[in-house]
Amino acid sequence: ESFDAEGVERGVRRCYEIAQYLRDQFPGAPQTTLEVQRIKENQDVGLSALEAYSRVLEGRATTMLEMLRSVCAAAGVPVRLG
């Protein structure tokens, strides 16, 4: 038995097309369970991305502060940072 990734992808695209067609035909219909779940997951993913970005920025700021201290020390300038 072989796995047909292209066939799965075509099927997924077709499902999205059908879902869009139904949304167009019935604009007042409520969101599906899948759509609600995706919205919730996207919020979780967004929060995770924001936390990761924050950690990266903190690491970069620490590196920059260390470099600034090194430059000031080499120049003989007293520094009191952080």
Side-chain angles (χ1 to χ4, degrees):
E1 222 175 293
S2 64
F3 179 74
D4 182 13
E6 289 181 19
V8 171
E9 187 176 328
R10 280 192 306 271
V12 168
R13 275 196 309 263
R14 184 70 180 134
C15 287
Y16 281 121
E17 290 170 5
I18 292 169
Q20 186 60 49
Y21 173 78
L22 291 172
R23 280 190 215 98
D24 292 344
Q25 294 299 312
F26 305 100
Q31 291 179 323
T32 65
T33 304
L34 177 60
E35 290 170 327
V36 171
Q37 189 61 31
R38 282 190 151 184
I39 291 168
K40 287 180 184 176
E41 288 177 11
N42 192 30
Q43 289 173 348
D44 293 342
V45 169
L47 180 60
S48 296
L50 185 59
E51 289 173 352
Y53 186 65
S54 174
R55 285 190 297 272
V56 169
L57 286 178
E58 183 179 6
R60 298 288 174 149
T62 301
T63 301
M64 290 173 62
L65 185 59
E66 290 172 5
M67 291 174 72
L68 180 60
R69 284 184 175 144
S70 295
V71 168
C72 289
V77 178
V79 174
R80 289 187 343 215
L81 298 173

